[in-house]
Amino acid sequence: MTRLVGRGLAAPLVAAALLTAPATAHATAPAPKEATRTIEWVAVLKSHTKPARVREGADWTTYAHLHLKARDGRPGKKIGDTTAHCAAALVNQRGHVTQCSRVLRTDAGHLGLTETMDRYGKGPHSAPAAVTGGTGAYADAEGEATVVLHGDTATFRIVLDD
């Protein structure tokens, strides 16, 4: 190799070796799952135990009616209810960060979600959520959701991987 460096041939040989080397594991993304199902629901708050002044470590529950999402984004036909248990993980001058576990109940089955959300300012507030499981039609559920809180309404866009 020292003779090659002296003749200026090392750089082209190294470049050729890199171009023909097999791709590394992180260079290729996993193939997307082909079968997915998207669900869009809206929840309307009915009751909660959230304190007026949230402190770090405070926790509360919420109860809401669950509806299909109408074309205009409003609540459509009522299909069940949802509960959540939330805790304030961080509180500062801008607002608070919460961790929530949710159960969305329908006659077809239940879906579990969990998320951590920054609730800074007036809102709306949005966060990705993990689908943690399900029952009935949602048994063995896997996937992700987006939870958006705006006033007394929460919207859920849930993408289930089959």
Side-chain angles (χ1 to χ4, degrees), residues 11-38:
L13 287 176
V14 171
L18 289 173
L19 289 174
T20 59
T24 58
H26 62 79
T28 58
K33 293 193 177 192
E34 291 182 26
T36 61
R37 180 170 139 200
T38 302

Side-chain angles (χ1 to χ4, degrees), residues 89-150:
L90 173 72
V91 176
N92 60 32
Q93 298 157 327
R94 297 183 306 157
H96 52 277
V97 176
T98 59
Q99 193 282 323
C100 296
S101 296
R102 302 175 186 281
V103 176
L104 293 81
R105 301 187 314 164
T106 71
D107 288 340
H110 303 173
L111 268 176
L113 303 177
T114 187
E115 93 272 343
T116 299
M117 182 181 292
D118 295 340
R119 297 186 188 190
Y120 296 140
K122 289 180 77 172
H125 303 105
S126 175
V131 175
T132 57
T135 66
Y138 312 108
D140 300 322
E142 297 177 342
E144 301 185 5
T146 300
V147 179
V148 178
L149 302 178
H150 191 244

